[in-house]
Amino acid sequence: MERARRLFRQPVAGARPVGTALRLAATALAAGLLGVVAAVAVAAPASAAPTTICKSSPIPAGYVIIGQGSSASCPGSFPNTWTIDTPSTTSSTVVCKVSTLPSGYVIIGEGSSASCPGSFPNTWTIRLPSTTSTTVVCKASTLPTGFVIIGEGSSASCPGSFPNTWSIRTPATSGTTVICSVSPIPAGYV
């Protein structure tokens, strides 16, 4: 055993000490991992966390406004920032009414938040409508392409006088679908 320790301690001509070699290997490994982490961070979906931007900046496509705030780093009087995020593709998202809505999303309710500008109610609850079943939307919502109106109803969650909701769905691909006379007829249907 003692002989093995002595052999390990003997320097090899032109070789670096073991500690230095280990530090170099660790540095190379860390640099490689940082490169992978950086690549993942760039490719990560924007919905990973809300982002704050100055109100003077344009809202990136696909993002919605979920709040406002103040920062000495941004120009203008307070509040001078927007908190933005990408809306959920699997559930609902509450957005400020000043926000534009991404294509395909529908309004399913309204509410109030101190984080959003304007008088109450000042928020919309939005989601992507189901493509396999019926979705109830506020009449204040736009109808996504390819959907039809199959009924109307009333909800205290939606603005306007009753009836203030539409029931929407995609039409059947075979057979017939009964729609309301106010519904658009999707391309390819008669």
Side-chain angles (χ1 to χ4, degrees), residues 99-184:
S99 181
T100 57
L101 304 184
S103 179
Y105 282 81
V106 293
I107 299 168
I108 60 170
E110 73 174 346
S112 300
S113 171
S115 298
C116 291
S119 57
F120 291 174
N122 61 352
T123 65
W124 293 123
T125 301
I126 63 169
R127 66 165 291 148
L128 287 173
S130 172
T131 57
T132 58
S133 63
T134 301
T135 302
V136 175
V137 304
C138 299
K139 283 187 178 180
S141 183
T142 57
L143 189 66
T145 302
F147 283 79
V148 293
I149 300 168
I150 61 168
E152 71 177 346
S154 300
S155 171
S157 298
C158 291
S161 57
F162 292 173
N164 61 352
T165 64
W166 295 121
S167 294
I168 65 169
R169 61 165 289 165
T170 54
T173 55
S174 63
T176 60
T177 301
V178 177
I179 65 173
C180 297
S181 61
V182 296
S183 178

Side-chain angles (χ1 to χ4, degrees), residues 2-118:
E2 182 60 34
R3 182 172 178 221
R5 283 189 197 136
R6 277 187 303 210
L7 286 174
F8 185 69
R9 287 186 196 157
Q10 289 180 352
V12 176
R16 293 189 171 127
V18 173
T20 303
L22 287 176
R23 279 193 299 277
L24 287 174
T27 302
L29 179 61
L33 286 176
L34 284 175
V36 170
V37 169
V40 170
V42 169
S47 62
T51 303
T52 300
I53 63 170
C54 297
K55 283 188 175 181
S56 58
S57 299
I59 307 294
Y63 280 78
V64 292
I65 299 169
I66 59 171
Q68 67 177 351
S70 300
S71 172
S73 300
C74 291
S77 58
F78 292 170
N80 61 353
T81 64
W82 292 126
T83 302
I84 61 172
D85 202 353
T86 53
S88 173
T89 57
T90 58
S91 64
S92 62
T93 302
V94 176
V95 304
C96 298
K97 281 189 177 181
V98 297
S99 181
T100 57
L101 304 184
S103 179
Y105 282 81
V106 293
I107 299 168
I108 60 170
E110 73 174 346
S112 300
S113 171
S115 298
C116 291

